[in-house]
């Protein structure tokens, strides 16, 4: 049985930081909840500095969400492997996140509400 999916506008303004640099800021972010998992914040691509992201060959699949492509974050001091993911053709319950970007919480990568 698939977990309940909900996509809705995230309240307030959200930022992404990696290695101390701000990669993006958005007041148009979306939050996705999947069952009892912690919520995930998704950012519109237009609100993220895509120059810091490098495409990864890694792909993942979620039974509830679909297939995701991944990106590395390249900062001056460190590369954060597969730290970004995006669903280009999500399943119907998650259609709102199509093309948006989400960030894995790794040491040095933070998504915060400001």
């Amino acid at each position: 049985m698939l977990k309940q999916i909900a996509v809705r506008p995230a309240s307030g303004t959200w930022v992404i930081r990696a290695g101390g640099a701000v990669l993006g800021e958005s007041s148009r972010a979306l939050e996705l909840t999947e069952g009892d998992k912690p919520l995930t914040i998704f950012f519109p691509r237009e609100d993220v500095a895509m120059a810091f992201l490098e495409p990864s060959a890694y792909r993942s699949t979620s039974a509830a969400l679909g297939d995701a492509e991944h990106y590395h974050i390249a900062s001056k001091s460190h590369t954060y492997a597969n730290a970004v993911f995006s669903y280009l053709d999500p399943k119907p319950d998650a259609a709102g996140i199509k093309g948006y970007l989400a960030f894995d919480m790794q040491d040095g990568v933070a998504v915060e509400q400001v």
Side-chain angles (χ1 to χ4, degrees):
M1 183 171 148
L2 294 178
K3 296 178 180 175
Q4 181 69 25
I5 304 292
V7 177
R8 60 193 154 273
S11 62
T13 300
W14 292 81
V15 296
I16 311 112
R17 292 186 176 87
V22 174
L23 301 183
E25 180 176 320
S26 183
S27 58
R28 302 179 304 136
L30 298 175
E31 65 179 39
L32 178 139
T33 52
E34 178 183 352
D36 58 359
K37 291 182 178 180
L39 71 86
T40 303
I41 299 296
F42 283 82
F43 291 82
R45 288 175 186 253
E46 304 82 38
D47 295 348
V48 176
M50 296 297 290
F52 287 99
L53 307 186
E54 298 175 350
S56 168
Y58 179 70
R59 300 290 183 264
S60 62
T61 300
S62 162
L65 303 176
D67 297 328
E69 65 180 10
H70 292 255
Y71 297 86
H72 307 303
I73 300 172
S75 74
K76 288 182 178 181
S77 60
H78 186 72
T79 296
Y80 301 92
N82 300 313
V84 184
F85 57 97
S86 180
Y87 294 91
L88 296 180
D89 190 22
K91 302 224 173 167
D93 286 349
I97 62 167
K98 181 176 182 169
Y100 277 58
L101 300 166
F103 294 77
D104 278 331
M105 296 303 96
Q106 299 182 12
D107 188 29
V109 178
V111 173
E112 303 167 330
Q113 188 175 19
V114 293

